[in-house]
Amino acid sequence: MVKFWIIVVGLLGAAGVSIGAYEAHGLKKLLTARYEAALGSEAMLPASHRLYRESAEQDDIEGLSPAEIDGQIQYHLDNTASAVEYQLFHTLAMLSIAILLLHTPTARKTLNAAASLMLLGVLGFSGGMYLVVFDLAPSLHWIIPFGGVLMIVGWVVLAAAGSLVAGAPPESK
């Protein structure tokens, strides 16, 4: 399982940094294009440049003021930053668990359970946020809190794994 967790950690880390970079350098343009109609702009991005499906359920933007639209855009940017942050923190936690698996045979099942819960939590919490922000499946917003709960449970299970650790490794000379 160590190999599996290291591969998962590498992929989650790469995805987290990539989405974080997009959030910093391109997401505002995407979100602005989504709200352009409400702002009264006629210049929409061509469909080939959009990252969201044109037929996707859009935010209810009718009647919003430009300040409210700016607030919605900032809300999505903040959610993306939170999703990336939680994803990367849990990626590091899973890497730590993979390292612990090499040295703690007495807690392997519990450590694997903790990492599994964290992975499911990242997929639910961060993945759910991405689905909503990028307008890929906004109706799946309900998975976000479940992902958060799975992350918390993963940390609790990790703490429980600590009680199964046999003791300090022998000192090398």
Side-chain angles (χ1 to χ4, degrees):
M1 287 297 286
V2 173
K3 181 178 181 179
F4 171 79
W5 289 119
I6 292 172
I7 291 169
V8 166
V9 162
L11 294 173
L12 283 177
V17 172
S18 298
I19 294 168
Y22 184 71
E23 183 262 332
H25 301 289
L27 182 56
K28 187 170 184 176
K29 182 177 179 181
L30 170 77
L31 295 172
T32 300
R34 184 183 303 165
Y35 289 100
E36 271 187 332
L39 287 170
S41 174
E42 298 298 321
M44 292 294 289
L45 287 174
S48 62
H49 289 103
R50 292 189 197 127
L51 292 181
Y52 62 93
R53 294 172 292 131
E54 190 154 344
S55 63
E57 181 182 324
Q58 300 261 336
D59 295 324
D60 184 18
I61 57 177
E62 293 299 318
L64 292 181
S65 70
E68 291 169 321
I69 291 170
D70 285 344
Q72 286 292 311
I73 289 171
Q74 190 59 51
Y75 174 77
H76 287 308
L77 291 170
D78 292 344
N79 280 345
T80 303
S82 293
V84 168
E85 184 176 296
Y86 276 74
Q87 178 176 337
L88 291 176
F89 284 143
H90 285 83
T91 299
L92 291 174
M94 286 183 275
L95 177 60
S96 299
I97 291 171
I99 293 167
L100 286 172
L101 282 167
L102 293 171
H103 302 289
T104 55
T106 57
R108 282 205 170 119
K109 286 183 181 179
T110 310
L111 287 169
N112 277 314
S116 297
L117 288 163
M118 287 183 186
L119 174 59
L120 292 172
V122 167
L123 294 174
F125 181 80
S126 297
M129 293 261 231
Y130 301 145
L131 290 174
V132 171
V133 169
F134 292 106
D135 206 18
L136 298 171
S139 62
L140 292 179
H141 62 87
W142 57 269
I143 68 171
I144 296 168
F146 289 109
V149 168
L150 289 172
M151 288 178 182
I152 294 166
V153 174
W155 285 104
V156 171
V157 172
L158 178 59
S163 69
L164 301 172
V165 175
E171 292 185 32
S172 59
K173 295 181 180 186

